[in-house]
Every structure is written in structure tokens, then in C-alpha cells.
Amino acid sequence: MFTRIVLIGLLSLLVTACGSEDSGNTSAAAVNNSKTYNWKMVTTWPPGFPILQEGAEKFAENIKAMSNGRLNIKVYAGGELIPALQTFEAVSQGTVEMGHGSAYYWAGKVPEAQLFSTVPFGMTARGMNAWLYEGGGLELWREVYKPFHVIPFPLGNTGVQMGGWFNKEINSLDDIQGLKMRIPGLGGKVFAKAGGSPVLLAGSEVYTALERNTIDATEWLSPFHDQRMGLYRAAKHYYYPGWHEPGTVLELTINERAWNSLPADLKAIVSNAAMAENVRMFSEMEQKNIEALQELKDREGVQLHRFPDDVLNRLQVLTKETLAEEAANNPKFKRVYEAYDAFRQKNNTWSDISENAYLDMKEEK
Ligand code: CA
């Protein structure tokens, strides 16, 4: 008898909870909350790619656990279901519900998308998170993807990348003239303006090209991923900072119709799991880079160099020129760039007297 009363009490509590959640429409909420969703996610990463592909898989596992198995996401690496660079298209058309990659991969289709990924001499992970989550960046990003029926979320960050591997020392701008370097995107355009010769190469071809001197230099990622690719065996001079990719934002994309089909609790789980994985992936990247940098220096005898100031200053001037040209040619790019740059400038003013000032002080000891 007692058990029965408790059960009835519990049931009425449940009904009240469901009802309040769905403004009185108890039955709709009850139906939604028992439905299981089986989704597919495609990524731009190679199978098993550490931190990035693994991070996408961890994100899916977390959602499964938090939703008690109501939202199951099967994750496919690039090429397993569709070619890596068709990820955006597949999510846009609803071939799959989710994608993971980075917005600059779609620059050919949506030039302003690269501003949500990374910009040479632009904001680091800290600034990008502040802009996207709290400074209006994410709303703007969603507006940009709206015509494609895609909803973006930040999901990971590479942190400041390295400047790349060079087969000779870079002591002045003269050393860049005619230099063949694998450097994609806006960074490649700036490098060309500086007299360099940017080369487009898929990740799988980078090592061989550098080893056989088909290229003189390459950027890839940061110590951990660069070490795994063995780039230190093909070139000895390792330059910093990664002026061209100061904090590349990785993105989760969700098909709009699929997103709208989710009940409110699953939506909350997805968006909070994305935020959690955004931080975790960035943290893993930082931790693994700390370890790998030490190994490259101590075990492999890699020579670390900072780019000379005149080289960095020139690249910075040319970056401003390149971005101004892109904006002049494309009103959509201009609109996003102006919002990005206004936040970047304010962020710099604050960073100069907070994080930068603090780090400078530590270095002077
Ligand atoms: Ca890179």
C-alpha cells in the first residue's frame, strides 16, 4: 500500500515536471522525451587523428551518457562516409545531422566563414571564446550559416600554432623571397605578398614534399602534431610564433531541421556538451604541446627560432592590406570583419594590461 502511494506521488511529480517544461503540453513532452535519435557526424579529420577526431568522438560519448542513450551520434572520420572537405555540404543538405571541422575550410563557398576560424595576427583562443560566447560573435556566425540551414557551435581550439619548419634560417625578409612554403588560407595570401611562394598541399603530402625539398618550408600545427608527423626529420629550423593561425576555432555544425527536431532537454545537452568539449580539447592540445616541445628540444635537437621582428612587422602590415582588400571586394566579408576587428581591438586594449602584461613581467625575471 505504502509503495503504491509513493509511486502515485512520483508519477504526479513526473507529470507536473513534464507539464511545466512544455507550457502545459504534457503529452508532446512525454512523447519527445522517450524518443531515441540516431544521428551521424562526419569530420574533416583523418581516422584516429589525435585530439581532434578523438575529441569529436568524446563529445558524442558524453551526449550519449548525458541523454541516457536518447541521442546516439555515430562519428565518421574524413573519407569514411563522405570526403573530408564535403562536411559542410553534407550537413547543409541534411545527408548527415552533424559535422566537425573548421570554418576556413569553407572559405571558397563562404569567404567570411574564415573569420570564425582564425585570422593572421588576430585573436587567440581566449579572445575568440570571449567574442563568440559573449561578444556577439556566435550570433553573427549563425546568421552567416543561416542560408545554408547550418547551425554552428565552437568545439575545440588549437591554441597558438607554430610558425613552421624551415630548411634554412630566416634572418630577414630577403630569406622569404621565392621560398616555397606549404601555408594555406589567408596566411598563404599574406606570405605571397611578402614575396614567398605558398604551396597548397594536403596534410598527407606535407612530410614527403619537405623531405624531398619539393618545398622549403611548411607549417602544420603545433609541437605535438608536428612531432607525430616527423617533420623534425625533414627540416631542423622550427619557427615561432604561428602568426598565421593564432588560435584556430574548431566548429560543430548541425543541420537546422535536425536541430529543430530535438526536444529542449537534448538541445541543452548538445550545446553544453559542445562548450565542455571546446574547453577540454583546447586543454589537451596545450598539455600535449608542453610535453612535445620539451621532447623535440631535448631528444631531437630541434633548433627553435623566433621570426625576426622586421619579418613579423612586415607580415602584419601585409595582413591588414589583405584583409582590407577582401573586405573591399565582398560586403558580407566586410560586415563580419568589422565586427571581428572592433572586438579584437577592444580585446587587445584589455589583454595588454592583463594577460600580456602579466606574462611580460614573468619573462623579465
Ligand atoms: Ca596550421
Side-chain angles (χ1 to χ4, degrees):
M1 187 64 188
F2 174 74
T3 317
R4 205 170 152 197
I5 291 167
V6 171
L7 254 178
I8 289 167
L10 272 174
L11 274 173
S12 66
L13 263 175
L14 264 175
V15 168
T16 314
C18 291
S20 64
E21 191 179 274
D22 200 27
S23 42
N25 192 349
T26 310
S27 59
V31 168
N32 276 342
N33 287 344
S34 64
K35 188 175 168 184
T36 299
Y37 298 79
N38 293 304
W39 282 15
K40 292 187 182 81
M41 179 199 251
V42 293
T43 79
T44 55
W45 322 119
F49 196 53
I51 309 180
L52 289 81
Q53 179 67 17
E54 287 171 357
E57 284 161 9
K58 284 196 171 93
F59 167 71
E61 282 163 22
N62 283 338
I63 287 177
K64 186 173 184 176
M66 283 190 274
S67 69
N68 198 21
R70 284 163 54 225
L71 179 52
N72 298 303
I73 304 158
K74 183 152 173 47
V75 185
Y76 298 87
E80 285 183 342
L81 194 62
I82 56 144
L85 295 182
Q86 281 174 28
T87 293
F88 187 84
E89 196 76 8
V91 174
S92 173
Q93 291 175 354
T95 315
V96 294
E97 290 82 6
M98 277 181 170
H100 189 243
S102 192
Y104 58 13
Y105 290 136
W106 337 124
K109 192 185 182 75
V110 196
E112 63 274 30
Q114 42 196 333
L115 297 162
F116 300 105
S117 184
T118 193
V119 175
F121 297 98
M123 288 188 274
T124 62
R126 223 163 43 93
M128 285 307 283
N129 280 335
W131 181 50
L132 292 173
Y133 287 130
E134 299 295 331
L138 188 53
E139 285 89 340
L140 196 54
W141 195 1
R142 291 191 172 158
E143 246 182 69
V144 168
Y145 281 7
K146 181 90 179 146
F148 305 95
H149 311 292
V150 172
I151 301 172
F153 298 74
L155 188 81
N157 197 302
T158 66
V160 181
Q161 297 192 9
M162 287 295 287
W165 299 85
F166 293 75
N167 62 11
K168 64 168 191 180
E169 282 190 41
I170 303 299
N171 295 314
S172 70
L173 281 164
D174 285 347
D175 294 324
I176 285 180
Q177 304 314 303
L179 196 83
K180 279 193 220 149
M181 179 171 183
R182 184 263 182 194
I183 174 169
L186 283 168
K189 285 188 180 177
V190 174
F191 186 67
K193 270 178 183 277
S197 174
V199 179
L200 276 180
L201 279 182
S204 55
E205 299 168 277
V206 169
Y207 177 81
T208 313
L210 187 62
E211 206 236 340
R212 294 185 182 163
N213 290 320
T214 314
I215 53 174
D216 307 306
T218 187
E219 69 84 53
W220 178 237
L221 230 158
S222 310
F224 173 71
H225 287 93
D226 290 8
Q227 183 188 32
R228 285 180 68 99
M229 204 189 249
L231 292 170
Y232 59 90
R233 289 197 293 264
K236 276 286 170 247
H237 303 284
Y238 198 20
Y239 273 84
Y240 67 92
W243 58 274
H244 63 299
E245 291 199 56
T248 305
V249 176
L250 310 175
E251 66 170 12
L252 164 71
T253 46
I254 305 183
N255 175 273
E256 189 179 39
R257 189 183 293 176
W259 174 253
N260 289 339
S261 76
L262 291 183
D265 63 333
L266 290 185
K267 281 183 177 167
I269 286 174
V270 170
S271 56
N272 284 284
M275 217 180 288
E277 187 54 30
N278 187 35
V279 175
R280 199 210 58 79
M281 219 189 284
F282 173 50
S283 310
E284 186 183 3
M285 195 76 81
E286 292 286 276
Q287 185 273 331
K288 292 224 157 79
N289 285 328
I290 292 166
E291 302 287 334
L293 177 66
Q294 203 65 44
E295 285 178 17
L296 284 172
K297 280 165 66 181
D298 297 350
R299 217 169 58 193
E300 312 299 347
V302 166
Q303 295 177 42
L304 269 183
H305 309 271
R306 186 179 188 273
F307 285 118
D309 280 340
D310 62 335
V311 170
L312 289 174
N313 293 345
R314 183 70 188 143
L315 291 169
Q316 192 159 13
V317 168
L318 295 173
T319 293
K320 281 188 181 150
E321 262 180 49
T322 305
L323 291 165
E325 282 166 16
E326 298 278 327
N329 291 332
N330 180 345
K332 287 181 180 169
F333 187 97
K334 183 170 190 274
R335 183 166 168 256
V336 179
Y337 177 58
E338 280 173 355
Y340 173 94
D341 207 50
F343 195 89
R344 183 189 66 84
Q345 286 179 37
K346 285 189 287 186
N347 181 55
N348 278 354
T349 307
W350 163 236
S351 296
D352 280 349
I353 62 154
S354 58
E355 189 113 349
N356 299 352
Y358 179 77
L359 292 175
D360 281 350
M361 176 185 72
K362 280 178 73 174
E363 278 173 8
E364 279 165 14
K365 270 181 193 165

